[in-house]
Amino acid sequence: MKSITGINITKSYGKDELVTEVLRGINIEVHDGEFLAIMGKSGAGKSTLLYQLSALDKPTSGEIYIEGKNIADFSETELVNFRLFTLGYIFQDYALIPDLSAEENVLLPLLMRGLDWQTAKTKAQTALTSVGLINRDTNLPSQLSGGEQQRVAIARAVAGKPKIIFADEPTANLDSISGHDIIELLHDLHNKGQTIVMVTHESEYVEYCNRIIYLEDGLIVPEKCRLINPLPNYANTYLTTGSTL
Amino acid sequence: MRDLRIGLFLGLRQIQQASLWTTLLIITVILFTFLNLVALSGILIGIVDGALDQVRSEALGDINILPLENETRIKETERLIDELKTYPEIASFSPRYTGLATIEANYKERHSLSDEPNIIAVNITGIDPIAEKETTELENIVGEGSYFDSTENGYILIGKYNIDRYAKQFGDVFNSLDNVYPGDTVRVTVGQESREFIIKGIIDSKADLVSVGVYIPEREFRRMFNRADYNANQIAIRLKPGYDEKVIRDKIRDSSLASLGKINSFTEDIPKFIIDVRKTFDILGFFTGAIGLIVASITIFIVIFINALSRRRQIGILKAIGITRRTIEFAYITQAIFYAIIGSGIGILITYYILLPYFQQNPIDFPFSKASLSISLNGMFLRSIALVTVTVIAGFVPAWMITKQNTLDSILGRK
């Protein structure tokens, strides 16, 4: 079952002669329960691809289906609701709301989903417990370390049990110990069946993934793509389909 | 409802975590805008109201009885007075008798008939000094000299605009007596009869009506004018505190007294042009207040815009994690309402507990009025509503501008 299907995705910026093509025809599939790493050098288009796949941006051309729905068909309001109920995000610099405590950061999207305060609070506490931060729930982000903030961000992303979590270089701002902790957390989530798409440039963390796709100049480089821990039933598909992995 | 609830929550958290200086700045801007709205128009209207209050307290009283149409005097004044005494709402009243006379000063120093006489024509008023003292402030506005002593005869009070040293600032508007002081003797002539009076005091009122008057005790007036019937030309009535002039006026009108004289409340006796001036000042106050409102709204807009702009990335993140634009806009509206309510609230407290008592104690001394702040509760409420509305708009627009930007552009700080 496919979580995400991207067909011939292109993304370019600028106008006329100053157009920069960042993605040049990406075909990609992400399957349910898969932990996919997107790798590549700086400027290869990794984050841009993640933004397209995660419905934070719209491609210049091509189609993207998430959970079978073409995101181009969504109005802005529908897109916001879709992101709220279906997707979770982890950003490189944590992206917590500085005015809210750790617990409030986690429960905010839950309240938005229509949960009452008490239920949202309980779920937020559960999520914070799962990332080992239950005793820091009243702290503001500024009172937490980088690793702790990223764990709050993970708790926020997972609290609503989204179908897919997108992580944009979640360990880039962390020391190696904290980085490992974060990857372990993502790995645990994946082991519980969570679909995760992660951009990273740190090769030591990819061993936890099912698959790596490698980008160069806006294109997938098949030779550098790897299956690390193939998902059952998909083992033969990836490497035989070129850029349509 | 969900958007509103979460917007309120986000807004309150932003207020809690906001810079104290920013919060104080916005609240101060709103406070001064409110004071500008209230105080300026309040003083403008206060000038008129101050003048009216003086006319009420120094001349007309709360209710005024005048002769009926085509009559020169109030009929059966003695019966009317007896009736008025039965009204528990009436604190006091003062019958007045008026007639035309001339007053000549320094006539003993006039050596030749060709010398120009120091003489003026006046409308002279006969009063009962005690009744007048109980009804109006006439006693307290004697500038030079003093008020009548009820046991004395042969004294006169002259309004300051009949005296040259006071009236000359108005050019030739008033005919006035030159070189006249309390203690001087003047000659009052009615028809062929003349009588000397000693000037007891000079009436110094900002109300022209009072300052152009000349007053003598009523028994001397009636003797001079040969008025034996006691029918007065005017009766000023002062009500006890707490009674509404219109209610008591209607009560008197409903009695048989209405057939004896025309019974008007003070408000009815205010000339239309004064009401027009009051309205004009109100409009002027509104316009200056409106300009203040615009300036305040721009200031609040800039402050909240900068605030929202500096939180542009957060707004993008909020949208990314599924928070609707409307929720984020509510958060900024919540902040704006908070600032507006606190600013207006402090403004109301300052107005009621500092400005109003201060100006009541220390009215501003304008040439024709002592003005204090004149602010109605309705006016204050309307101005508060206007300020809150403008602030909400000024808070909403920047939030709307930032939230409508592309989510990813906001997160990445791209233009």
Side-chain angles (χ1 to χ4, degrees), chain B residues 12-168:
Chain B
L12 291 176
R13 283 290 182 272
Q14 283 183 15
I15 291 164
Q16 280 180 338
Q17 302 298 331
S19 147
L20 182 64
W21 289 111
T22 307
T23 306
L24 286 178
L25 173 70
I26 299 175
I27 289 174
T28 306
V29 167
I30 293 172
L31 169 63
F32 278 102
T33 306
F34 179 85
L35 293 179
N36 179 46
L37 270 174
V38 166
L40 190 66
S41 62
I43 286 175
L44 285 172
I45 294 173
I47 292 172
V48 180
D49 284 354
L52 291 174
D53 283 347
Q54 279 176 308
V55 173
R56 182 196 287 265
S57 65
E58 294 170 8
L60 298 183
D62 300 314
I63 294 173
N64 203 22
I65 302 179
L66 296 167
L68 294 168
E69 295 291 330
N70 304 320
E71 297 282 347
T72 56
R73 297 175 204 171
I74 300 163
K75 292 180 182 173
E76 300 178 50
T77 300
E78 285 176 284
R79 178 165 83 81
L80 193 147
I81 285 171
D82 287 341
E83 284 282 332
L84 290 180
K85 286 176 184 168
T86 66
Y87 282 78
E89 303 89 346
I90 293 176
S92 61
F93 54 85
S94 174
R96 295 169 187 158
Y97 307 85
T98 56
L100 293 173
T102 58
I103 303 178
E104 185 176 5
N106 312 117
Y107 48 91
K108 289 176 183 167
E109 294 153 25
R110 192 170 162 225
H111 302 297
S112 160
L113 285 174
S114 61
D115 290 348
E116 196 173 329
N118 193 7
I119 189 168
I120 56 171
V122 294
N123 198 0
I124 201 162
T125 304
I127 57 171
D128 175 343
I130 293 172
E132 190 67 32
K133 187 166 77 173
E134 288 171 352
T135 307
T136 69
E137 295 289 324
L138 196 66
E139 181 192 25
N140 301 321
I141 53 170
V142 176
E144 298 177 55
S146 59
Y147 187 67
F148 293 127
D149 186 327
S150 58
T151 59
E152 295 171 334
N153 286 319
Y155 287 96
I156 189 168
L157 294 172
I158 298 182
K160 67 177 180 181
Y161 291 150
N162 298 303
I163 309 292
D164 187 63
R165 62 180 177 280
Y166 292 102
K168 65 183 175 189

Side-chain angles (χ1 to χ4, degrees), chain B residues 202-222:
Chain B
I202 310 290
I203 304 291
D204 184 1
S205 168
K206 289 178 184 294
D208 292 358
L209 176 68
V210 182
S211 279
V212 296
V214 173
Y215 305 87
I216 59 173
E218 52 100 9
R219 57 183 177 276
E220 296 190 79
F221 178 95
R222 281 191 280 105

Side-chain angles (χ1 to χ4, degrees), chain A residues 100-132:
Chain A
L100 304 181
S101 68
E103 183 189 84
E104 288 167 344
N105 263 287
V106 177
L107 66 76
L108 186 64
L110 300 172
L111 291 173
M112 211 58 216
R113 284 173 170 225
L115 298 184
D116 64 79
W117 187 274
Q118 196 50 51
T119 310
K121 190 176 166 74
T122 306
K123 281 181 178 284
Q125 297 261 342
T126 306
L128 283 171
T129 305
S130 71
V131 297

Side-chain angles (χ1 to χ4, degrees), chain B residues 45 83 181 229 249 263 336 350 390:
Chain B
I45 294 173
E83 284 282 332
Y181 295 89
D229 60 4
R249 173 204 64 189
I263 297 144
I350 288 177
V390 166

Side-chain angles (χ1 to χ4, degrees), chain B residues 303-348:
Chain B
V303 172
I304 291 188
F305 184 73
I306 291 169
N307 184 19
L309 202 61
S310 68
R311 292 169 181 263
R312 184 173 168 232
R313 182 159 189 277
Q314 283 173 43
I315 289 172
I317 291 161
L318 285 169
K319 285 167 69 184
I321 63 172
I323 311 301
T324 60
R325 279 183 62 186
R326 196 179 300 174
T327 302
I328 299 165
E329 286 158 5
F330 274 135
Y332 281 89
I333 290 171
T334 299
Q335 291 178 68
I337 290 175
F338 169 81
Y339 295 136
I341 288 176
I342 297 292
S344 304
I346 295 173
I348 288 170

